[in-house]
Amino acid sequence: MCPVCKQKIIKLTGWHNHHMVWRSLGGSESQENRILLHPNCHDQVHNQQLTIEKPRPPKGV
């Protein structure tokens, strides 16, 4: 699920790999620093300087 629009990310919609802390500012390539977003949502995050929080996995997973 895309944390911006709350819609499923599928092959048809496409996705971008977003670094929550930019690598140029010391962010890592680790999974904890990356999240998948739709291409439109990724543009919105950068254009509107939105902050993204990584959702917590469901309990029991």
Side-chain angles (χ1 to χ4, degrees):
M1 297 292 271
C2 177
V4 176
C5 68
K6 311 293 188 231
Q7 300 295 315
K8 282 187 177 182
I9 296 174
I10 59 174
K11 189 182 281 190
L12 185 62
T13 63
W15 58 85
H16 282 181
N17 187 19
H18 175 71
H19 290 84
M20 293 181 295
V21 177
W22 292 9
R23 294 192 59 220
S24 61
L25 297 177
S28 70
E29 273 293 327
S30 71
Q31 187 175 5
E32 291 79 27
N33 190 44
R34 295 182 292 151
I35 192 163
L36 294 179
L37 304 173
H38 289 116
N40 292 8
C41 296
H42 192 222
D43 290 342
Q44 285 178 5
V45 167
H46 286 286
N47 292 335
Q48 298 173 19
Q49 298 177 348
L50 302 176
T51 301
I52 299 295
E53 288 190 27
K54 196 164 190 161
R56 293 179 180 220
K59 287 187 176 184
V61 175

